Amino acid sequence: MRSGHDYLLITNNPLVVKCMGDCYPIEFVEGGYREVLVKARDLVYIGHTLYTHPLAGSVKPNETIYRSIAVSKNPHTFSTEQAEMMSNSIIAYDKFPPKKRILTDELLHDFQLVDYTLIAGAMEFDAAAGLAK
């Protein structure tokens, strides 16, 4: 597992908070996928370093409501490339119309698990150990 000394996880996923909250500082975002993108963008704009791609994984933005992104805990240097990546990610998100479906507890749990697995893998975090908590 990567050391959590300069990592901040931005997430709206309660499973990430439960499984990784003891190892990483977490900023929990009330809202959906887009709100997580906006929060991460705002942090990147003030100089936080983006450590995971905002659209990582094969799940389209309109498929799930959960998203977790790793940035630096503290601002470093503003990056035009990372700011552009965040802006383009929000534009890409906005191109996908929301799916009309009933989000059952089982479906929400599945989406949480997919997002958790993606961020755990990116952070080299033992996902199975986190789930055992």
Side-chain angles (χ1 to χ4, degrees):
M1 169 180 55
R2 292 183 183 175
S3 167
H5 76 283
D6 189 43
Y7 295 98
L8 171 65
L9 300 182
I10 309 301
T11 188
N12 66 339
N13 185 343
L15 187 60
V16 169
V17 174
K18 176 183 173 192
C19 295
M20 299 177 78
D22 292 343
C23 298
Y24 297 99
I26 294 178
E27 182 153 343
F28 188 78
V29 175
E30 295 290 338
Y33 193 121
R34 189 178 198 283
E35 286 77 17
V36 173
L37 292 175
V38 168
K39 180 62 181 177
R41 178 206 60 196
D42 292 349
L43 290 172
V44 166
Y45 279 11
I46 62 170
H48 290 260
T49 301
L50 184 63
Y51 290 133
T52 60
H53 195 286
L55 299 177
S58 61
V59 181
K60 292 179 185 168
N62 66 339
E63 296 284 334
T64 183
I65 63 170
Y66 297 107
R67 188 52 158 169
S68 299
I69 301 171
V71 299
S72 62
K73 187 167 56 171
N74 299 303
H76 297 283
T77 304
F78 176 76
S79 166
T80 305
E81 293 82 17
Q82 290 186 0
E84 184 176 3
M85 182 185 300
M86 288 307 310
S87 293
N88 288 340
S89 295
I90 294 170
I91 291 167
Y93 174 88
D94 289 342
K95 288 181 183 179
F96 289 94
K99 292 214 174 205
K100 307 244 189 285
R101 64 180 168 221
I102 296 171
L103 296 173
T104 64
D105 288 342
E106 183 177 293
L107 186 57
L108 290 173
H109 177 73
D110 288 347
F111 287 146
Q112 289 174 16
L113 188 59
V114 168
D115 176 64
Y116 165 66
T117 304
L118 287 170
I119 195 68
M123 300 304 295
E124 299 174 4
F125 180 82
D126 184 346
L131 288 170
K133 290 183 183 181

